[in-house]
Amino acid sequence: MYRNQYDNDVSVWSPQGRIHQIEYAMEAVKQGAATLGIKGKKYAVVVALKRASSDLSSHQKKIIPIDEHAGISIAGLTSDARILSRFMRTECLNHRYVYGSPLSISRLVSSVGDKAQTGTQIMGRRPYGVGLLVAGCDESGPHVYYICPSSNFYECKCMAIGARSQSARTYLERHKDNFKDVEDLGELVAHALRALRDCLPNDSELTTKNVSVGYVGTEVPFTMKDDDEVAEYLKMIEEEKVAVPATGEEETMETQ
Amino acid sequence: MAGLFSNSLHVPKNVDMKDRLAEFWREEASDPVKHTLRPIVTGTSVLGVKCVDGVVIAADTLGSYGSLARFRDIERLMKVNDSVLIGGFGDYADFQHIMKLLNQQTVDDAVIGDGVYRDAPSIHNWLRCVLYNRRTKFNPLWNTIVVAGKTYSGEPYLGYVDKIGVSFQDKSVATGFGSYIAQPMMRRALEENPNMTVAQARDLMARCLKVLFYRDCRALNRFQIGTVTSEGCVISEPMSTDTDWSIGANPSGYE
């Protein structure tokens, strides 16, 4: 994708019928560290590879709880993710106050989509440069949604985004028809971590420092596991061999 | 707007209460900001009973204009969706406003078309927010609403919410006169038969409404009964009970 005269503003169409600014915003997601989500029979799970901008700093948090019944994992501009997660939290809270029940995930995601769409159409604004994987549970069971910087959103059986995520998507595609029957949380997390392992850069491995796990179930509130709490899940896939070696790609430091 | 005790009421401070009141009402009449003062066309009691297999609510079809039994064929029970019925006591115009808002909710949900609908606790909660908000602005919707229906998991639900935002759930609820006359009857019936069915509850409603017709001057012997079961919500056609006024032939003490 190279520069041309139709890519300066989000309010400009190219002659091919594209809006380049939106496509450039989607590139920001590919710069972020990998994260993926899988929907099972009773649980929705997200796992993320955390990146540290230097040896001195901590690993950037990627999973953000939204409400008891929903959480998100992000890839892209972290600051944009903060704004969207704050919005999602207030939407969920307002719904609980007025209706006394959790906001259904489809409504939550479409309200984020409506908010994000204004940045793709109004002159002088820009799209949110972050991809969100929403894991939630409502009356119709567990859900995984992907919200794109283009403001499109997709309900997914499973989805992987971020740097080197194509390898994870390959793994997920191979197993996607099995996930809907997986009742056990551990089994689902193991699948997710195996897929995540394929996104590692060369000479890296999944450790308690760089992996984050989040899950939510029909009877289980959204729970996030970091650091030592992740060890039990990593143990589950320890003995297995790495399936596909990751392809090397440029990493930039500002986006996590 | 000049309140009764505010400084902007154009009456000197050392004037007595009677004159103050007179001035207040004169000012009120010309006040451009209208707030609810009193209900105009009103409905009387709404009754509700929660059963093992559903919920039953009942209300007569009278809209009173003060002491005049003016509109004798109005519907005070409304079907919100396949899970929720509501009954309205109090000002009928305000109840019509609430019905319009609830209809709009149902339409909005249908338009989005994602299968999400509001169950009885959700409607009850929403009504509580609306009514409490209006009371806080000193412009109440002058109603007491009975919310009857099912939860998302199919459990029967019966709730009460009134014009000052008081809201609760119970096995039997009643508004207005009904809370004095019918509520004890319903409570005793539930005590003697805790596993009341919807069919038995309908008979109970008819009995209670009959007594209310005898005792409540603003009641009418023409009523509807609404039922919520696992099959859905149904509001009956208007019906009446037989009454016996023979003891009224020779009243004593009214010379």
Side-chain angles (χ1 to χ4, degrees):
Chain A
M1 223 181 286
Y2 29 75
R3 282 189 61 74
N4 51 46
Q5 53 183 300
Y6 305 108
D7 66 356
N8 282 326
D9 293 308
V10 81
S11 54
V12 175
W13 289 96
S14 82
Q16 290 77 37
R18 293 151 67 168
I19 302 179
H20 290 292
Q21 277 292 306
I22 296 179
E23 293 172 22
Y24 296 165
M26 280 150 71
E27 287 296 308
V29 177
K30 299 179 195 163
Q31 299 290 340
T35 174
L36 57 100
I38 309 181
K39 172 172 81 168
K41 196 164 185 187
K42 290 194 185 150
Y43 294 95
V45 157
V46 280
V47 296
L49 208 50
K50 293 187 286 193
R51 205 184 267 160
S53 54
S54 77
D55 288 334
L56 298 170
S57 66
S58 63
H59 290 73
Q60 172 64 51
K61 265 191 160 38
K62 303 252 298 164
I63 298 183
I64 302 171
I66 297 296
D67 195 351
E68 267 188 28
H69 68 301
I72 62 173
S73 184
I74 66 171
L77 263 48
T78 313
S79 42
D80 282 4
R82 263 174 60 82
I83 301 298
L84 288 178
S85 63
R86 188 168 62 201
F87 172 75
M88 291 171 84
R89 283 173 174 173
T90 49
E91 289 293 287
C92 284
L93 188 63
N94 286 339
H95 189 277
R96 271 192 198 268
Y97 177 72
V98 173
Y99 295 102
S101 65
L103 179 57
S104 80
I105 307 299
S106 61
R107 298 265 171 120
L108 172 63
V109 167
S110 56
S111 67
V112 177
D114 289 344
K115 180 178 161 78
Q117 193 277 342
T118 59
T120 67
Q121 190 168 15
I122 294 178
M123 164 86 147
R125 300 234 353 234
R126 65 160 177 83
Y128 288 103
V130 61
L132 304 180
L133 282 174
V134 182
C137 241
D138 58 20
E139 286 303 315
S140 45
H143 299 277
V144 168
Y145 279 86
Y146 171 47
I147 310 177
C148 193
S150 64
S151 84
N152 276 328
F153 50 88
Y154 311 91
E155 173 150 33
C156 311
K157 293 180 194 167
C158 47
M159 182 61 172
I161 59 175
R164 288 175 288 275
S165 55
Q166 183 52 56
S167 328
R169 281 198 288 277
T170 314
Y171 176 94
L172 293 175
E173 251 167 75
R174 240 182 282 135
H175 294 96
K176 70 178 185 330
D177 292 318
N178 302 335
F179 294 143
K180 64 181 189 307
D181 301 315
V182 176
E183 283 199 20
D184 179 50
L185 175 63
E187 207 184 315
L188 208 57
V189 175
H191 272 298
L193 288 174
R194 269 183 227 116
L196 192 65
R197 194 169 45 192
D198 295 339
C199 306
L200 286 164
N202 289 329
D203 304 330
S204 290
E205 47 177 42
L206 298 181
T207 68
T208 56
K209 280 206 165 24
N210 66 6
V211 170
S212 221
V213 174
Y215 57 84
V216 62
T218 42
E219 266 120 56
V220 173
F222 186 85
T223 314
M224 205 166 77
K225 298 280 188 199
D226 277 301
D227 300 318
D228 294 334
E229 291 172 328
V230 173
E232 57 169 299
Y233 298 111
L234 290 176
K235 254 203 215 58
M236 285 191 258
I237 59 163
E238 227 169 56
E239 272 86 52
E240 302 163 9
K241 289 215 288 258
V242 175
V244 175
T247 55
E249 257 181 41
E250 283 271 343
E251 278 184 21
T252 58
M253 286 310 189
E254 314 88 72
T255 58
Q256 303 286 356
Chain B
M1 180 180 108
L4 192 54
F5 297 104
S6 79
N7 290 331
S8 61
L9 189 60
H10 299 125
V11 176
K13 282 202 174 117
N14 55 353
V15 156
D16 77 3
M17 202 56 193
K18 190 163 132 234
D19 295 322
R20 202 174 176 84
L21 274 163
E23 183 57 43
F24 172 65
W25 285 112
R26 266 196 294 278
E27 288 233 10
E28 268 249 66
S30 58
D31 190 352
V33 179
K34 284 294 164 217
H35 288 239
T36 303
L37 300 171
R38 55 198 180 87
I40 306 295
V41 173
T42 56
T44 187
S45 325
V46 178
L47 315 176
V49 162
K50 194 159 70 167
C51 313
V52 285
D53 53 343
V55 192
V56 175
I57 63 172
D60 65 22
T61 64
L62 176 64
S64 305
Y65 188 64
S67 62
L68 171 65
R70 187 159 177 193
F71 302 105
R72 298 187 299 158
D73 189 18
I74 64 170
E75 303 213 357
R76 296 199 291 116
L77 300 182
M78 174 207 173
K79 176 171 162 170
V80 178
N81 59 39
D82 286 317
S83 297
V84 191
L85 289 176
I86 60 165
F89 157 90
D91 186 80
Y92 196 61
D94 284 349
F95 183 63
Q96 286 175 321
H97 178 68
I98 288 173
M99 290 199 289
K100 183 157 56 173
L101 294 177
L102 279 169
N103 260 326
Q104 191 59 58
Q105 282 253 318
T106 310
V107 164
D108 290 345
D109 285 338
V111 158
I112 296 174
D114 55 0
V116 172
Y117 67 97
R118 303 290 170 204
D119 67 349
S122 302
I123 297 285
H124 188 203
N125 247 304
W126 178 85
L127 274 172
R128 189 255 315 151
C129 278
V130 171
L131 292 184
Y132 183 74
N133 183 252
R134 290 286 301 251
R135 92 112 218 199
T136 308
K137 295 196 284 202
F138 271 91
N139 187 14
L141 289 163
W142 206 285
N143 294 114
T144 305
I145 308 288
V146 170
V147 179
K150 301 184 281 211
T151 65
Y152 284 123
S153 49
E155 297 296 307
Y157 184 92
L158 182 62
Y160 165 113
V161 67
D162 75 4
K163 66 179 179 295
I164 54 172
V166 168
S167 108
F168 56 84
Q169 307 156 38
D170 205 347
K171 290 201 288 285
S172 67
V173 297
T175 69
F177 244 78
S179 48
Y180 297 104
I181 293 183
Q183 183 69 291
M185 292 173 69
M186 297 192 291
R187 282 180 179 160
R188 168 177 279 180
L190 279 170
E191 222 170 290
E192 285 164 6
N193 179 12
N195 299 318
M196 193 176 290
T197 63
V198 149
Q200 292 165 330
R202 278 200 278 259
D203 290 334
L204 173 63
M205 292 285 111
R207 274 205 319 277
C208 291
L209 285 166
K210 179 166 159 168
V211 178
L212 279 171
F213 179 58
Y214 283 132
R215 292 295 176 177
D216 179 4
C217 294
R218 308 284 185 260
L220 187 69
N221 187 16
R222 187 169 186 275
F223 53 87
Q224 290 174 299
I225 299 187
T227 319
V228 185
T229 55
S230 52
E231 267 112 63
C233 296
V234 178
I235 298 177
S236 72
E237 287 300 301
M239 54 177 114
S240 306
T241 53
D242 297 322
T243 52
D244 176 10
W245 290 97
S246 56
I247 66 159
N250 299 303
S252 72
Y254 288 90
E255 274 67 67

